[in-house]
Amino acid sequence: MKDTPLSNCERDFLLKAIEEKKRLDGRQTYDYRKMKITFGTDFGCCFVDLGKTRVMAQVSGELVTPKENRPNEGIMFFNIELSPMASPAFEAGRQSELSVKLNRQLERCLRNSKCLDTESLCVVSGEKVWQIRVDVHMLNHDGNLMDAASIAAITALCHFRRPDVGIQGDDVTVYSPEERDPIPLSIYHMPISVSFSFFQQGTYLLVDPCEREERVMDGLLMIAMNKHREICSIQSSGGIMLLKEQVMRCSKIASVKVSEITELISKALENDKKARKAGGKCGFAESMPQERITALKMDETPVEMTDVTDRANDIVQKAEAPPQTYPLQSLNNSSIYQDHCGDVVEISDSEEEEVVILHPEKADKAPT
Amino acid sequence: MMEVCGSSNVTLREFGSEQSLLSRPDGSASFIQGDTSVLAAAYGPAEVKVSKEIYDRATLEVLIQPKVGLPSVRERAQEQCVRETCEASLLLSLHPRSSLTLILQLIHDDGSLLSCFLNAACVALMDAGLPMSRLFCGVTCAIDADGQIITDPTAAQEKESRALMTFAIDATERRVMMSSTRGSFSVHELQQCIAVSQKASEKIFQFYRDSVRRRYSKTL
């Protein structure tokens, strides 16, 4: 499916509006869209809504053999799926340029910054370590997929609990969640990426571009930072030339935004922890908004079964009796098929023989 | 011959659905059965690749995305079941040489997954406004070790069951459109499960009606 192309009048309108410091949705230059973070039923599942952009991240872990050059460290694996659900332009199974770019950026942001303590993932040195796998699915593309993906990934990693492991000598036992409480991963810091889009050869700058703004931008600067004002990764794409002052200004803006976002993430994690401790059901079902006109819920209902047995017996009796089956007998090298009229036809196994056409009255024997 | 169980086991779990929750797809819906939840998005009618076009009908493509990893053979089998049901109910000849795409994303699996996919697919197609000759719903039945029939089983109940059956039931005449089964069962048990599914489908179709009525209540 092809995406609808951007018309010239839309492009001109957007650029003109940006020159006058106006945005389509009325935001200021440095404003983020409304962000909402919710969690799923099991640990490690997190949804992030950035305006209309929607992203889901799932963290899972399994025991594998470690890499040969790093026998003491666990493995982290990232995968960003550009689901065709998010945009008609995304195709299933094809590694598009955007998907490669997002995957690489997320890896640099989370793996190279060493935000996760990989040595704590080691169970038996050289033999068994935990492989933590983060799958991020894009559900709706309305711009700035990178920021939403990085927030979802780091929140899901903070939310995830891995099964507890016991080591007695050479035996390794993995305890199920019912036997022993699962333990959280050790996260040093939370790197979050902030995207800046540039227009008119670097003259104008917008934070958190929406999908329309992304289509008309000249270049994108992505800065990944944590709340301690340490830059984890910078990436500039699109071929625009930026001045040193511009980059410094962007990093200052990013540090402000990152601290706000980190606070939001911590609050969401706290709320979820409280809700789970209180024992209530949590997950997608509960976070479904009830006051909306487009949502509806129905409680558990019994199904009436009064005449089910009678109907079933009725149908079975009315149906024909199943055909009788006859066993197949082998004679020499060919097989004999006995059809329901009792005629015996010999079918040869050889492929060079002609196909046998069976008639109920007379049977044609294949030349043997 | 197996006896039908008492009505205590034959319940449908808590249902929920939300429509039009994504802005890009033409139609989208989330469907929740107990803890099993699925997100569906429908695009169409749209441009189709020349290699896939059919001269007198629309080409329907169904994609099921698992939560972890890439789609495997299991997803392909489920896609085929959903696709056959949708092709039987959509009026494809109204949009020749077009493509209709249905994408189903698994959010959480706690049993009765294929029927949740079918229900979410139907609500998403309704939300997209695609013309259909009949609505459909999915119901899963499990036969446990004692021979009791359980509808809408959880994952734990599915694991203990001797047989697991999913039926797609149509709304107009309550007939079976698609069936997918696993395990061994007798002919009597099959007919009983079909009868139970037909009864259960009435509740689901009433739910569809209520949610659509609620959705359009403000514009009426």
Side-chain angles (χ1 to χ4, degrees):
Chain A
M1 247 185 306
K2 286 206 210 111
D3 208 357
T4 36
L6 192 69
S7 57
N8 282 339
C9 50
E10 267 185 300
R11 177 186 299 268
D12 295 339
F13 178 79
L14 282 161
L15 289 172
K16 195 90 187 292
I18 290 169
E19 280 170 32
E20 295 172 13
K21 305 266 192 213
K22 290 200 173 80
R23 289 177 89 160
L24 274 187
D25 42 9
R27 283 186 279 158
Q28 298 298 317
T29 319
Y30 301 145
D31 280 350
Y32 254 82
R33 287 170 285 183
K34 182 158 166 290
M35 200 181 312
K36 194 166 99 139
I37 301 178
T38 42
F39 297 97
T41 320
D42 48 352
F43 285 115
C45 179
C46 156
F47 294 88
V48 172
D49 286 15
L50 186 57
K52 291 196 202 139
T53 300
R54 209 177 150 104
V55 153
M56 170 176 89
Q58 173 72 50
V59 177
S60 52
E62 62 169 348
L63 284 172
V64 296
T65 37
K67 294 206 179 103
E68 283 179 7
N69 51 347
R70 299 214 191 283
N72 286 342
E73 292 181 8
I75 303 173
M76 281 179 77
F77 181 70
F78 298 98
N79 181 32
I80 293 190
E81 283 279 335
L82 293 183
S83 166
M85 184 188 286
S87 161
F90 296 158
E91 281 181 28
R94 265 255 302 260
Q95 273 283 62
S96 67
E97 207 181 294
L98 178 64
S99 132
V100 171
K101 180 171 144 193
L102 290 175
N103 269 300
R104 193 69 201 108
Q105 278 181 347
L106 189 69
E107 273 194 26
R108 283 176 48 196
C109 176
L110 292 179
R111 182 184 303 181
N112 295 6
S113 65
K114 304 224 189 310
C115 65
L116 185 65
D117 181 15
T118 41
E119 289 198 1
S120 69
L121 298 174
C122 177
V123 176
V124 178
S125 172
E127 283 172 30
K128 285 258 176 267
V129 298
W130 283 105
Q131 179 186 356
I132 301 294
R133 189 194 163 106
V134 183
D135 285 277
V136 182
H137 297 273
M138 303 299 169
L139 302 177
N140 199 41
H141 176 28
D142 196 36
N144 207 2
L145 290 173
M146 185 60 221
D147 288 5
S150 84
I151 296 171
I154 194 64
T155 312
L157 281 169
C158 292
H159 192 248
F160 179 62
R161 305 268 181 275
R162 66 167 171 87
D164 198 1
V165 174
I167 309 177
Q168 275 115 12
D170 280 336
D171 293 328
V172 175
T173 25
V174 180
Y175 297 108
S176 70
E178 290 87 40
E179 293 167 10
R180 275 207 205 165
D181 279 340
I183 41 187
L185 301 171
S186 63
I187 311 244
Y188 290 138
H189 60 98
M190 301 210 286
I192 292 171
S193 88
V194 177
S195 296
F196 301 86
S197 53
F198 289 94
F199 303 86
Q200 312 283 41
Q201 279 81 45
T203 328
Y204 302 101
L205 148 76
L206 287 180
V207 174
D208 186 20
C210 72
E211 203 249 337
R212 296 278 141 188
E213 290 162 354
E214 267 188 3
R215 293 234 215 168
V216 301
M217 71 182 175
D218 287 335
L220 187 75
L221 175 69
M222 191 274 291
I223 300 183
M225 252 179 152
N226 60 23
K227 70 172 185 204
H228 308 292
R229 311 191 69 204
E230 296 167 334
I231 294 182
C232 306
S233 152
I234 292 191
Q235 166 110 5
S236 166
S237 55
I240 38 150
M241 326 273 205
L242 293 172
L243 299 168
K244 186 179 75 173
E245 290 80 32
Q246 281 175 313
V247 180
M248 292 305 295
R249 189 156 52 100
C250 288
S251 65
K252 287 199 180 72
I253 299 167
S255 70
V256 171
K257 294 296 165 195
V258 163
S259 54
E260 285 172 13
I261 296 174
T262 314
E263 211 185 291
L264 181 68
I265 295 179
S266 320
K267 230 192 318 182
L269 285 165
E270 266 301 311
N271 287 346
D272 181 71
K273 203 155 94 168
K274 256 191 273 182
R276 276 179 206 262
K277 233 194 204 151
K281 266 173 62 88
C282 33
F284 202 48
E286 270 49 47
S287 59
M288 203 172 74
Q290 272 319 294
E291 65 282 357
R292 283 208 202 138
I293 209 174
T294 49
L296 185 63
K297 239 175 158 173
M298 192 171 84
D299 293 319
E300 207 172 313
T301 45
V303 177
E304 270 188 38
M305 295 262 294
T306 38
D307 60 346
V308 159
T309 337
D310 303 329
R311 274 180 67 186
N313 288 343
D314 215 19
I315 293 173
V316 174
Q317 274 164 12
K318 278 205 204 128
E320 293 171 3
Q324 276 203 304
T325 50
Y326 290 81
L328 294 176
Q329 296 157 6
S330 284
L331 202 66
N332 299 332
N333 284 337
S334 44
S335 55
I336 297 181
Y337 168 69
Q338 194 173 24
D339 68 21
H340 62 276
C341 289
D343 289 309
V344 178
V345 180
E346 207 172 287
I347 305 170
S348 174
D349 280 346
S350 165
E351 288 163 12
E352 289 151 3
E353 306 289 353
E354 286 175 55
V355 173
V356 176
I357 306 167
L358 298 172
H359 296 288
E361 295 84 39
K362 57 183 174 75
D364 286 324
K365 267 196 185 182
T368 34
Chain B
M1 197 161 94
M2 291 294 146
E3 293 295 326
V4 173
C5 61
S7 51
S8 56
N9 276 345
V10 188
T11 54
L12 294 171
R13 292 182 282 180
E14 204 184 21
F15 272 19
S17 108
E18 190 179 350
Q19 298 167 38
S20 300
L21 59 163
L22 303 175
S23 70
R24 291 305 293 274
D26 296 326
S28 57
S30 83
F31 204 86
I32 301 167
Q33 285 178 213
D35 274 336
T36 304
S37 108
V38 157
L39 188 61
Y43 280 99
E47 209 182 310
V48 68
K49 276 199 218 155
V50 182
S51 56
K52 289 197 196 147
E53 77 174 6
I54 306 177
Y55 74 98
D56 63 345
R57 293 199 323 268
T59 313
L60 176 68
E61 203 185 326
V62 177
L63 290 160
I64 293 189
Q65 311 270 337
K67 219 170 22 162
V68 179
L70 295 168
S72 69
V73 176
R74 176 190 308 187
E75 278 76 37
R76 296 276 173 259
Q78 291 168 332
E79 280 171 19
Q80 185 169 27
C81 293
V82 176
R83 193 179 60 241
E84 315 254 290
T85 317
C86 294
E87 279 181 353
S89 56
L90 283 166
L91 295 172
L92 295 174
S93 51
L94 286 182
H95 300 285
R97 290 203 182 86
S98 315
S99 83
L100 304 175
T101 315
L102 184 65
I103 302 117
L104 296 156
Q105 170 73 52
L106 169 65
I107 307 281
H108 192 248
D109 181 10
D110 190 35
S112 312
L113 186 59
L114 186 54
S115 58
C116 200
F117 278 141
L118 286 165
N119 293 332
C122 187
V123 183
L125 292 173
M126 270 200 289
D127 189 50
L130 292 169
M132 290 198 266
S133 63
R134 69 202 78 196
L135 297 180
F136 56 89
C137 78
V139 185
T140 306
C141 288
I143 303 181
D144 67 3
D146 309 325
Q148 306 272 46
I149 298 180
I150 309 169
T151 44
D152 203 13
T154 60
Q157 286 169 331
E158 274 186 2
K159 237 194 335 189
E160 312 280 303
S161 64
R162 167 167 54 90
L164 186 72
M165 300 180 231
T166 304
F167 300 109
I169 313 273
D170 90 302
T172 41
E173 286 158 28
R174 304 274 187 274
R175 294 205 291 203
V176 175
M177 290 172 82
M178 185 277 302
S179 78
S180 166
T181 68
R182 156 184 82 66
S184 66
F185 43 89
S186 72
V187 176
H188 287 280
E189 287 171 335
L190 173 69
Q191 288 303 330
Q192 279 168 4
C193 286
I194 291 181
V196 170
S197 305
Q198 285 169 328
K199 281 282 182 172
S201 69
E202 284 166 26
K203 296 275 168 21
I204 305 179
F205 289 127
Q206 186 58 42
F207 177 74
Y208 285 178
R209 235 170 264 131
D210 291 339
S211 60
V212 173
R213 187 176 295 138
R214 180 184 159 100
R215 164 101 191 275
Y216 293 111
S217 61
K218 282 243 171 103
T219 57
L220 285 174

